[in-house]
Amino acid sequence: MTLDELLTALGHADQTHVLPNGFNNPHSYRGYYDELAFEPAENISVADMAAAGWAAMDETFEGYKGGQFTMTGDTDCWLSFEGWAGGEPITTELLARLLAAGARPTLPGEVFQAPGNHVHFGYRCSTETGGCGYESPFHTRTEAAAQQGLDGHRATCTARPAGTDQPVTGTSGA
């Protein structure tokens, strides 16, 4: 898989996924100095892996025994510790396995039925669930509309899900 292909695939993945096994630390691959390698990493987000890939784009790395090698979008990618000639090429299949094992952080917030004589729904981003404490001042007639409001709030919420320094983003969907 080339660096362009890798970045495209990572760009289509959920950036909030935290993978038990992934990669970071781009470097010149010892097996073929003109190819790019990433070191294996644990508990890393898709966004951090993509950032490592973008950091390597058009960068020049020193080969294991010398020489300067610039990595471009056409550069093949490997999963290997720095200084190792072993490892494995990053393929579509390998990346799919890594991404499938990821877990999306639990997003804070909930939709609730408002008290009163009418059926209305609101949403809150409770600090008890890792949220910012916001509660919608308005109630909607449908649960779906309240969920849409919560999803909109999550797009701008400044809270951080447990175990990450990434802001809350996304929807409750997948």
Side-chain angles (χ1 to χ4, degrees):
M1 177 173 258
T2 66
L3 183 55
D4 274 343
E5 293 167 337
L6 179 62
L7 290 171
T8 298
L10 290 172
H12 290 298
D14 183 339
Q15 300 299 296
T16 64
H17 268 76
V18 177
L19 308 178
N21 295 297
F23 52 82
N24 65 7
N25 189 27
H27 57 277
S28 171
Y29 176 53
R30 183 173 177 190
Y32 305 100
Y33 302 164
D34 62 335
E35 295 185 0
L36 182 63
F38 296 91
E39 288 192 346
E42 294 180 350
N43 298 317
I44 187 166
S45 71
V46 171
D48 288 341
M49 290 172 32
W54 282 110
M57 181 67 78
D58 297 322
E59 280 297 309
T60 301
F61 294 88
E62 185 170 342
Y64 184 76
K65 293 184 178 179
Q68 301 294 307
F69 301 90
T70 301
M71 307 302 163
T72 67
D74 293 327
T75 302
D76 287 324
C77 298
W78 290 77
L79 186 62
S80 179
F81 288 102
E82 191 163 3
W84 286 21
E88 62 183 305
I90 297 177
T91 63
T92 304
E93 295 79 15
L94 172 62
L95 186 60
R97 284 194 315 271
L98 294 174
L99 293 173
R104 182 181 191 159
T106 301
L107 297 177
E110 63 183 339
V111 169
F112 63 90
Q113 185 171 343
N117 296 332
H118 303 287
V119 177
H120 286 80
F121 296 90
Y123 63 90
R124 65 176 67 100
C125 188
S126 172
T127 56
E128 293 173 5
T129 59
C132 66
Y134 178 81
E135 184 169 325
S136 64
F138 305 105
H139 297 149
T140 65
R141 293 182 180 258
T142 66
E143 189 173 358
Q147 184 64 56
Q148 187 176 17
L150 175 60
D151 291 342
H153 169 76
R154 286 178 174 151
T156 59
C157 182
T158 58
R160 305 291 195 251
T164 179
D165 62 357
Q166 299 298 313
V168 171
T169 58
T171 65
S172 62

